[in-house]
Amino acid sequence: YLLKATFFGGYINVYGNGEVTVFFEDGLKLPAKYQISASSTQEEQRASIAYIMEKYADFFRMEQPQIALHTDYTYQYRPISTQQLYDQTGDSLQQILNYNFSYAQAPFDENGNLLLLRKINFLAAAQYLGDYPLISPEDARNQLLSGNLTDELQRIDTITPDMIAGSDLIYLT
């Protein structure tokens, strides 16, 4: 689902998956020293993102913001840089989850104007289902023959090797 609110100069989209995006229709002009272009150095990008993080701290709500810079290249070997913020609080697992599923972006247009602010928190819409142990097909076969994997097969008293034609390990969610 989507909730959309408009304001003078832009609009805000709030999505059901945990994403909130503030769009600036004509881009938001920043002070010249914080504008990012294709030729900006990593230091200039870091300074711009730090400025945006400080200016919009209430929107991002991160205790220990960490800047991650990425550069990909087009087929014409032109760099495409993206800047990402994530919260570096918590243990290693929480930091990995934040980096991948709960982060912020602030992309710029070709004139150095801020296009939007995006806060992604897919973890807000996720449900922890538990840790799934990974076992080999041989281990699964042995456990099935010993009667340990029979939740779905309760109507069968005994499972014999000749009843097993093959195996596929599927984890249901």
Side-chain angles (χ1 to χ4, degrees), residues 41-58:
T41 66
Q42 286 196 348
E43 293 78 25
E44 291 169 332
Q45 291 179 49
R46 284 186 189 285
S48 295
I49 298 304
Y51 169 80
I52 292 166
M53 179 61 212
E54 184 178 321
K55 185 171 175 124
Y56 298 103
D58 288 342

Side-chain angles (χ1 to χ4, degrees), residues 1-5 12-16 19-21:
Y1 60 87
L2 165 69
L3 173 66
K4 185 173 185 175
I12 301 169
N13 285 350
V14 179
Y15 301 90
E19 177 182 333
V20 178
T21 304

Side-chain angles (χ1 to χ4, degrees), residues 24 26-36 47-49 51-53 55-56 106-109 111-117:
F24 304 108
D26 297 320
L28 185 63
K29 189 160 183 67
L30 298 177
K33 68 179 185 177
Y34 297 120
Q35 294 178 0
I36 293 179
S48 295
I49 298 304
Y51 169 80
I52 292 166
M53 179 61 212
K55 185 171 175 124
Y56 298 103
F108 290 79
D109 66 15
N111 298 318
N113 296 322
L114 184 63
L115 284 176
L116 57 89
L117 298 173

Side-chain angles (χ1 to χ4, degrees), residues 142-158:
N142 291 338
Q143 288 189 33
L144 184 61
L145 290 171
S146 65
N148 292 333
L149 297 177
T150 58
D151 288 346
E152 300 287 328
L153 306 170
Q154 291 181 3
R155 64 183 189 279
I156 301 174
D157 292 330
T158 304

Side-chain angles (χ1 to χ4, degrees), residues 113-127:
N113 296 322
L114 184 63
L115 284 176
L116 57 89
L117 298 173
R118 177 177 288 133
K119 174 75 170 130
I120 299 203
N121 187 1
F122 295 142
L123 296 175
Q127 179 183 3

Side-chain angles (χ1 to χ4, degrees), residues 10-146:
Y11 56 97
I12 301 169
N13 285 350
V14 179
Y15 301 90
N17 65 359
E19 177 182 333
V20 178
T21 304
V22 179
F23 294 90
F24 304 108
E25 287 178 355
D26 297 320
L28 185 63
K29 189 160 183 67
L30 298 177
K33 68 179 185 177
Y34 297 120
Q35 294 178 0
I36 293 179
S37 68
S39 62
S40 294
T41 66
Q42 286 196 348
E43 293 78 25
E44 291 169 332
Q45 291 179 49
R46 284 186 189 285
S48 295
I49 298 304
Y51 169 80
I52 292 166
M53 179 61 212
E54 184 178 321
K55 185 171 175 124
Y56 298 103
D58 288 342
F59 175 75
F60 294 120
R61 293 186 185 177
M62 294 184 186
E63 292 178 40
Q64 292 180 326
Q66 178 67 34
I67 299 171
L69 304 176
H70 308 281
T71 301
D72 284 327
Y73 292 89
T74 66
Y75 289 115
Q76 293 77 30
Y77 204 67
R78 279 182 281 194
I80 300 173
S81 296
T82 57
Q83 304 80 28
Q84 180 174 317
L85 286 165
Y86 69 97
D87 199 344
Q88 201 175 21
T89 55
D91 60 10
S92 296
L93 175 60
Q94 187 60 50
Q95 290 176 26
I96 291 169
L97 289 171
N98 289 345
Y99 178 83
N100 288 291
F101 302 110
S102 184
Y103 56 90
Q105 297 171 324
F108 290 79
D109 66 15
E110 63 277 355
N111 298 318
N113 296 322
L114 184 63
L115 284 176
L116 57 89
L117 298 173
R118 177 177 288 133
K119 174 75 170 130
I120 299 203
N121 187 1
F122 295 142
L123 296 175
Q127 179 183 3
Y128 178 71
L129 298 176
D131 295 324
Y132 293 98
L134 299 177
I135 61 175
S136 69
E138 185 62 34
D139 287 342
R141 177 185 171 87
N142 291 338
Q143 288 189 33
L144 184 61
L145 290 171
S146 65

